[in-house]
Amino acid sequence: MPNRRLVSRRRALWLGLASLTSIGAIATARAGYQSYYQSLDNPKRDFKVTGYAPLKKRAEAKGIIFGSAIRQDLLVSDSRLATSFAQQCGILVPEWELKWNILRPAPDKFDFSKADWLAQFARTHGMLFRGHTLVWYQVLPKWFNEIVNRQNAEKFLVEHIATVTKHYAGQMHSWDVVNEAIEPEQRRSDGLRNSPWLEFLGPDYIELAFRVAAQADPKALLVYNDYGLEYDTPTDEARRTAVLKLLERLKSRGTPLHALGIQSHLTGHETRFNPKKLQNFLADVASLGLKILITELDVVDQKLPVDAAVRDRIVARVYEDFLSVVLDEPAVIAVLTWGLSDRHTWLSNHAPRSDSASVRPLPFDSNLKSKLAWNAMARAFDNARKR
Ligand code: 9MR
């Protein structure tokens, strides 16, 4: 029989050692965490801006368009937001109202009421209006799954694009004709994403969409829009390659494609940003005769320290570093954020913080006070070359 006293003494020793090791591990992890965030945050970096001119004016002075996505219900219910939006933005893009689920309550019915309200708001305030999006694999209405199939998909696609683009013909600055058609992780040789459109119509649905849009609205700039193109990671590299291949293929077939939209949902704690690689990609796109728009800019702060001052500095740094690189490419003609105020951002749901502090990814805080991210954007426009 083992000596009980000895066993319990040994156990105490082990427990003591174990807890020492875990305290050590926690301390090391904490030190690592601190030095990691110290490397992201430079408290001395100043984001000074001269004057109070709004972002749209600063951008305009360089031949660049600045604006944001917005929801109709927010502009209707929040007059302060509407005022700031009109002051700051030279272009408006509906965040929800031009998608299939809102526009197409039933297979034979179009409801333009909310999008028309936004078009009117843009007109009243001298803003450009931008369409998002005609072809996407997400937010298709419920009836779509029940009704659309291989036999009738082309009819639905053509009818949808022709009707919607005709409705706004002559009023649209640009249309995201096809959104997020690339997903190299799904391992097709052409890098295309599996979607109902691909399944029913094959890869040519993309070209078809652009041709129908160009015919109905020859004035709008026709854009292919996608995400995950910004960082020096294997995933983004694969996405850049696949997008470039798609753009080359479309251009070589004479498709009426005029621009690439780079969504630019950026990440505050991501350090793999390589200006040279991004610039090369932009130059490759421009060499195809395409313009470039930054279409959905925001900066995820999910994993940044809770201190709002630190978070805002890191987020602002990401804005300025990214914009100064992309605005160096003369083909970049527009910058849009995906929302203006932290009060209303898709990231509250999509990338919430584990400490439940509210997220701060946009140029204005939830009380519509401008943040360092606003300064960062103002500086990037002020320092940009004129187009
Ligand atoms: O921000 C948008 C969110 O509020 C909507 O629920 C969602 C579906 O309509 O779309 C979000 O916007 C997406 C955009 O349309 C395409 N790129 C990614 C955006 C964020 O998911």
Side-chain angles (χ1 to χ4, degrees):
M1 221 179 134
N3 178 334
R4 263 209 205 131
R5 258 220 187 122
L6 200 65
V7 168
S8 69
R9 224 183 284 153
R10 264 198 215 134
R11 189 178 292 151
L13 190 68
W14 275 118
L15 284 176
L17 276 177
S19 65
L20 270 180
T21 340
S22 61
I23 290 169
I26 290 168
T28 319
R30 190 167 293 154
Y33 174 89
Q34 273 167 359
S35 73
Y36 174 57
Y37 288 110
Q38 267 159 15
S39 75
L40 297 177
D41 178 30
N42 173 5
K44 293 209 183 99
R45 179 158 165 176
D46 92 68
F47 291 95
K48 267 197 203 124
V49 169
T50 39
Y52 297 96
L55 294 177
K56 73 170 174 194
K57 292 278 180 222
R58 294 172 193 266
E60 215 174 85
K62 301 301 170 69
I64 302 163
I65 302 164
F66 170 75
S68 169
I70 194 70
R71 278 166 34 199
Q72 186 256 3
D73 59 317
L74 301 180
L75 288 184
V76 169
S77 62
D78 186 342
S79 62
R80 280 182 64 229
L81 177 67
T83 305
S84 295
F85 198 93
Q87 269 165 5
Q88 297 292 329
C89 295
I91 189 166
L92 181 160
V93 60
E95 186 172 350
W96 287 1
E97 293 76 3
L98 285 168
K99 292 172 179 171
W100 277 66
N101 59 334
I102 311 281
L103 275 185
R104 303 292 302 269
D108 52 359
K109 211 175 148 219
F110 285 81
D111 179 358
F112 288 105
S113 54
K114 292 190 168 151
D116 283 354
W117 191 97
L118 286 170
Q120 180 58 42
F121 181 88
R123 227 184 346 265
T124 308
H125 295 93
M127 284 182 236
L128 298 169
F129 192 48
R130 172 171 157 67
H132 173 86
T133 174
L134 296 166
V135 187
W136 193 21
Y137 71 101
Q138 283 191 30
V139 290
L140 292 164
K142 277 208 189 77
W143 57 259
F144 188 97
N145 287 337
E146 291 146 25
I147 290 179
V148 181
N149 55 40
R150 221 174 275 269
Q151 280 69 45
N152 62 19
E154 183 168 330
K155 177 184 100 35
F156 272 101
L157 184 85
V158 170
E159 176 201 50
H160 181 84
I161 297 176
T163 309
V164 179
T165 47
K166 260 186 213 142
H167 186 84
Y168 295 106
Q171 298 178 49
M172 278 290 177
H173 166 268
S174 49
W175 262 114
D176 286 338
V177 178
V178 178
N179 190 43
E180 302 174 6
I182 290 291
E183 185 44 282
E185 278 179 4
Q186 292 175 348
R187 306 222 156 270
R188 283 174 55 98
S189 61
D190 55 11
L192 290 184
R193 177 193 294 278
N194 294 318
S195 76
W197 299 117
L198 184 71
E199 185 192 332
F200 296 148
L201 299 173
D204 288 346
Y205 81 87
I206 300 178
E207 188 176 338
L208 175 65
F210 278 93
R211 291 198 185 280
V212 177
Q215 209 180 7
D217 186 355
K219 291 217 173 112
L221 197 73
L222 302 184
V223 183
Y224 173 73
N225 192 50
D226 217 329
Y227 67 89
L229 302 169
E230 301 83 10
Y231 286 110
D232 190 8
T233 60
T235 321
D236 282 20
E237 182 69 37
R239 299 182 61 88
R240 282 192 290 273
T241 307
V243 164
L244 207 55
K245 254 191 6 212
L246 171 66
L247 301 180
E248 277 164 4
R249 194 168 70 232
L250 291 171
K251 285 303 280 183
S252 73
R253 295 166 64 104
T255 314
L257 157 75
H258 310 127
L260 171 67
I262 300 181
Q263 292 185 7
S264 312
H265 294 292
L266 305 180
T267 305
H269 64 269
E270 178 57 83
T271 52
R272 290 168 292 177
F273 179 58
N274 182 331
K276 199 75 226 126
K277 281 207 178 157
L278 183 58
Q279 263 157 352
N280 289 344
F281 174 66
L282 301 177
D284 287 343
V285 173
S287 74
L288 296 172
L290 297 173
K291 298 290 182 205
I292 299 166
L293 293 84
I294 303 302
T295 50
E296 304 184 13
L297 181 59
D298 52 19
V299 179
V300 170
D301 69 344
Q302 188 177 39
K303 297 196 174 146
L304 299 181
V306 67
D307 182 336
V310 175
R311 254 194 291 164
D312 284 0
R313 274 202 301 267
I314 297 175
V315 166
R317 185 188 100 147
V318 173
Y319 269 96
E320 191 174 355
D321 289 355
F322 177 76
L323 284 179
S324 60
V325 170
V326 297
L327 292 177
D328 213 31
E329 167 55 61
V332 175
I333 56 160
V335 174
L336 288 96
T337 50
W338 206 239
L340 208 55
S341 149
D342 294 337
R343 183 182 289 251
H344 310 287
T345 159
W346 71 296
L347 293 170
S348 303
N349 293 325
H350 182 79
R353 295 177 55 85
S354 59
D355 55 21
S356 65
S358 50
V359 298
R360 304 176 66 84
L362 289 167
F364 287 85
D365 74 8
S366 54
N367 292 315
L368 287 170
K369 196 168 163 311
S370 72
K371 296 157 51 196
L372 284 188
W374 183 95
N375 293 44
M377 299 193 84
R379 288 167 59 89
F381 292 136
D382 291 352
N383 293 327
R385 301 192 248 163
K386 199 164 161 37
R387 268 71 187 142

Short mmCIF file of all heavy atoms in Angstrom, two decimals, residues 71 95-96 99 101 132-133 136 138-139 179-180 225 227 263 265 296 338 346 350, ligand 1:
data_model
loop_
_atom_site.label_atom_id
_atom_site.label_comp_id
_atom_site.label_asym_id
_atom_site.label_seq_id
_atom_site.Cartn_x
_atom_site.Cartn_y
_atom_site.Cartn_z
N ARG A 71 -28.22 52.80 -45.38
CA ARG A 71 -29.56 52.19 -45.48
C ARG A 71 -30.61 53.28 -45.48
O ARG A 71 -30.50 54.25 -44.72
CB ARG A 71 -29.78 51.27 -44.28
CG ARG A 71 -29.15 49.93 -44.45
CD ARG A 71 -29.08 49.15 -43.16
NE ARG A 71 -30.19 49.40 -42.25
CZ ARG A 71 -30.13 49.12 -40.95
NH1 ARG A 71 -29.04 48.60 -40.41
NH2 ARG A 71 -31.16 49.36 -40.17
N GLU A 95 -27.02 50.20 -49.06
CA GLU A 95 -26.39 49.01 -48.45
C GLU A 95 -27.29 47.78 -48.65
O GLU A 95 -26.78 46.66 -48.74
CB GLU A 95 -26.15 49.26 -46.96
CG GLU A 95 -25.38 48.14 -46.29
CD GLU A 95 -24.97 48.46 -44.86
OE1 GLU A 95 -25.11 49.63 -44.44
OE2 GLU A 95 -24.51 47.53 -44.17
N TRP A 96 -28.60 47.97 -48.70
CA TRP A 96 -29.56 46.86 -48.81
C TRP A 96 -30.47 46.93 -50.04
O TRP A 96 -30.87 45.90 -50.58
CB TRP A 96 -30.53 46.87 -47.59
CG TRP A 96 -29.95 46.43 -46.31
CD1 TRP A 96 -28.67 46.04 -46.06
CD2 TRP A 96 -30.66 46.34 -45.05
NE1 TRP A 96 -28.52 45.71 -44.73
CE2 TRP A 96 -29.73 45.89 -44.10
CE3 TRP A 96 -31.96 46.60 -44.67
CZ2 TRP A 96 -30.07 45.69 -42.77
CZ3 TRP A 96 -32.32 46.40 -43.33
CH2 TRP A 96 -31.37 45.95 -42.40
N LYS A 99 -30.65 45.05 -53.62
CA LYS A 99 -30.38 43.61 -53.69
C LYS A 99 -31.67 42.86 -54.00
O LYS A 99 -32.77 43.36 -53.73
CB LYS A 99 -29.78 43.15 -52.36
CG LYS A 99 -28.38 43.73 -52.14
CD LYS A 99 -27.84 43.46 -50.76
CE LYS A 99 -26.45 44.04 -50.60
NZ LYS A 99 -25.98 43.97 -49.21
N ASN A 101 -33.31 40.48 -52.61
CA ASN A 101 -34.30 40.20 -51.56
C ASN A 101 -35.21 41.39 -51.28
O ASN A 101 -36.35 41.22 -50.87
CB ASN A 101 -33.63 39.73 -50.26
CG ASN A 101 -32.64 40.73 -49.70
OD1 ASN A 101 -32.09 41.55 -50.44
ND2 ASN A 101 -32.41 40.71 -48.41
N HIS A 132 -25.58 48.64 -56.19
CA HIS A 132 -24.98 47.42 -55.62
C HIS A 132 -26.13 46.49 -55.25
O HIS A 132 -26.92 46.87 -54.40
CB HIS A 132 -24.17 47.81 -54.38
CG HIS A 132 -23.66 46.64 -53.61
ND1 HIS A 132 -22.48 46.01 -53.92
CD2 HIS A 132 -24.16 45.97 -52.54
CE1 HIS A 132 -22.28 45.02 -53.05
NE2 HIS A 132 -23.27 44.98 -52.22
N THR A 133 -26.30 45.37 -55.80
CA THR A 133 -25.53 44.72 -56.81
C THR A 133 -26.47 43.85 -57.64
O THR A 133 -27.45 43.34 -57.10
CB THR A 133 -24.39 43.88 -56.20
OG1 THR A 133 -23.73 43.13 -57.21
CG2 THR A 133 -24.90 42.90 -55.14
N TRP A 136 -25.42 38.36 -57.37
CA TRP A 136 -24.70 37.93 -56.17
C TRP A 136 -25.28 36.59 -55.76
O TRP A 136 -26.44 36.31 -56.05
CB TRP A 136 -24.90 38.98 -55.05
CG TRP A 136 -23.99 38.85 -53.87
CD1 TRP A 136 -22.80 38.20 -53.81
CD2 TRP A 136 -24.22 39.40 -52.56
NE1 TRP A 136 -22.24 38.33 -52.54
CE2 TRP A 136 -23.11 39.07 -51.75
CE3 TRP A 136 -25.24 40.16 -51.98
CZ2 TRP A 136 -22.98 39.45 -50.42
CZ3 TRP A 136 -25.13 40.54 -50.66
CH2 TRP A 136 -24.01 40.20 -49.87
N GLN A 138 -25.62 35.72 -52.65
CA GLN A 138 -26.31 35.86 -51.36
C GLN A 138 -27.61 36.65 -51.49
O GLN A 138 -27.86 37.28 -52.51
CB GLN A 138 -25.40 36.59 -50.37
CG GLN A 138 -24.32 35.71 -49.80
CD GLN A 138 -23.60 36.37 -48.64
OE1 GLN A 138 -24.17 37.17 -47.91
NE2 GLN A 138 -22.33 36.05 -48.48
N VAL A 139 -28.38 36.66 -50.43
CA VAL A 139 -29.67 37.36 -50.30
C VAL A 139 -30.58 37.26 -51.52
O VAL A 139 -31.22 38.23 -51.91
CB VAL A 139 -29.50 38.84 -49.83
CG1 VAL A 139 -29.05 38.90 -48.39
CG2 VAL A 139 -28.58 39.67 -50.70
N ASN A 179 -20.97 40.54 -58.15
CA ASN A 179 -20.33 40.68 -56.85
C ASN A 179 -19.84 39.32 -56.35
O ASN A 179 -20.61 38.34 -56.36
CB ASN A 179 -21.38 41.25 -55.86
CG ASN A 179 -20.80 41.65 -54.53
OD1 ASN A 179 -19.73 42.26 -54.47
ND2 ASN A 179 -21.50 41.34 -53.46
N GLU A 180 -18.58 39.25 -55.94
CA GLU A 180 -18.04 38.08 -55.23
C GLU A 180 -18.22 36.77 -55.99
O GLU A 180 -18.75 35.79 -55.46
CB GLU A 180 -18.68 37.99 -53.83
CG GLU A 180 -18.42 39.25 -53.02
CD GLU A 180 -19.14 39.27 -51.67
OE1 GLU A 180 -19.77 38.27 -51.29
OE2 GLU A 180 -19.06 40.32 -50.99
N ASN A 225 -16.96 43.46 -58.55
CA ASN A 225 -16.65 43.82 -57.16
C ASN A 225 -16.30 42.58 -56.33
O ASN A 225 -17.02 41.58 -56.40
CB ASN A 225 -17.91 44.50 -56.58
CG ASN A 225 -17.67 45.18 -55.25
OD1 ASN A 225 -16.73 45.96 -55.11
ND2 ASN A 225 -18.53 44.92 -54.27
N TYR A 227 -13.91 40.88 -52.59
CA TYR A 227 -13.20 41.13 -51.32
C TYR A 227 -11.97 40.22 -51.22
O TYR A 227 -11.73 39.39 -52.10
CB TYR A 227 -14.13 40.87 -50.13
CG TYR A 227 -14.51 39.41 -49.97
CD1 TYR A 227 -13.74 38.53 -49.20
CD2 TYR A 227 -15.64 38.90 -50.61
CE1 TYR A 227 -14.08 37.20 -49.07
CE2 TYR A 227 -15.99 37.57 -50.48
CZ TYR A 227 -15.21 36.73 -49.71
OH TYR A 227 -15.55 35.39 -49.58
N GLN A 263 -13.34 45.68 -52.31
CA GLN A 263 -14.17 46.02 -51.15
C GLN A 263 -13.38 46.63 -50.00
O GLN A 263 -13.81 47.57 -49.37
CB GLN A 263 -14.92 44.77 -50.67
CG GLN A 263 -15.97 44.30 -51.68
CD GLN A 263 -16.81 43.13 -51.18
OE1 GLN A 263 -16.72 42.73 -50.01
NE2 GLN A 263 -17.61 42.56 -52.05
N HIS A 265 -12.51 45.42 -46.84
CA HIS A 265 -12.86 45.20 -45.44
C HIS A 265 -11.54 44.80 -44.75
O HIS A 265 -11.09 43.67 -44.86
CB HIS A 265 -13.91 44.10 -45.30
CG HIS A 265 -15.23 44.49 -45.90
ND1 HIS A 265 -16.01 45.49 -45.34
CD2 HIS A 265 -15.89 44.07 -47.00
CE1 HIS A 265 -17.10 45.65 -46.09
NE2 HIS A 265 -17.05 44.80 -47.10
N GLU A 296 -15.92 49.28 -50.20
CA GLU A 296 -16.61 48.95 -48.93
C GLU A 296 -15.65 49.07 -47.74
O GLU A 296 -15.65 48.23 -46.84
CB GLU A 296 -17.19 47.53 -49.00
CG GLU A 296 -18.12 47.31 -50.17
CD GLU A 296 -18.78 45.93 -50.20
OE1 GLU A 296 -18.72 45.20 -49.19
OE2 GLU A 296 -19.36 45.59 -51.24
N TRP A 338 -18.02 51.48 -45.85
CA TRP A 338 -19.24 50.68 -45.74
C TRP A 338 -20.00 51.13 -44.50
O TRP A 338 -20.05 50.46 -43.48
CB TRP A 338 -18.90 49.18 -45.70
CG TRP A 338 -20.05 48.33 -46.21
CD1 TRP A 338 -20.70 47.34 -45.50
CD2 TRP A 338 -20.68 48.37 -47.50
NE1 TRP A 338 -21.69 46.80 -46.28
CE2 TRP A 338 -21.71 47.41 -47.52
CE3 TRP A 338 -20.48 49.15 -48.64
CZ2 TRP A 338 -22.54 47.19 -48.62
CZ3 TRP A 338 -21.31 48.93 -49.76
CH2 TRP A 338 -22.31 47.97 -49.73
N TRP A 346 -22.29 46.73 -40.19
CA TRP A 346 -22.51 45.28 -40.25
C TRP A 346 -21.56 44.55 -39.31
O TRP A 346 -21.82 43.44 -38.88
CB TRP A 346 -22.32 44.79 -41.69
CG TRP A 346 -20.89 44.79 -42.18
CD1 TRP A 346 -20.09 45.88 -42.35
CD2 TRP A 346 -20.11 43.66 -42.53
NE1 TRP A 346 -18.85 45.50 -42.80
CE2 TRP A 346 -18.84 44.13 -42.93
CE3 TRP A 346 -20.36 42.28 -42.58
CZ2 TRP A 346 -17.82 43.28 -43.35
CZ3 TRP A 346 -19.34 41.44 -43.00
CH2 TRP A 346 -18.08 41.94 -43.38
N HIS A 350 -21.19 40.96 -37.35
CA HIS A 350 -20.27 40.04 -38.03
C HIS A 350 -18.96 39.84 -37.27
O HIS A 350 -18.41 38.75 -37.26
CB HIS A 350 -19.99 40.57 -39.43
CG HIS A 350 -19.12 39.68 -40.24
ND1 HIS A 350 -19.60 38.55 -40.86
CD2 HIS A 350 -17.80 39.73 -40.52
CE1 HIS A 350 -18.62 37.94 -41.48
NE2 HIS A 350 -17.51 38.64 -41.29
O1 9MR B 1 -23.64 45.25 -44.78
C1 9MR B 1 -24.62 44.48 -45.42
C2 9MR B 1 -25.51 43.81 -44.38
O2 9MR B 1 -26.17 44.78 -43.59
C3 9MR B 1 -26.52 42.92 -45.09
O3 9MR B 1 -27.24 42.18 -44.14
C4 9MR B 1 -25.83 41.96 -46.06
C5 9MR B 1 -26.86 41.24 -46.92
O4 9MR B 1 -27.61 42.18 -47.66
O5 9MR B 1 -24.94 42.64 -46.92
C6 9MR B 1 -23.97 43.40 -46.27
O6 9MR B 1 -23.15 44.02 -47.23
C7 9MR B 1 -22.23 43.18 -47.91
C8 9MR B 1 -22.13 43.66 -49.32
O7 9MR B 1 -23.40 43.65 -49.92
C9 9MR B 1 -21.16 42.80 -50.13
N1 9MR B 1 -19.86 42.74 -49.50
C10 9MR B 1 -19.88 42.36 -48.09
C11 9MR B 1 -20.82 43.27 -47.30
C12 9MR B 1 -20.80 42.91 -45.82
O8 9MR B 1 -21.30 41.61 -45.66
#
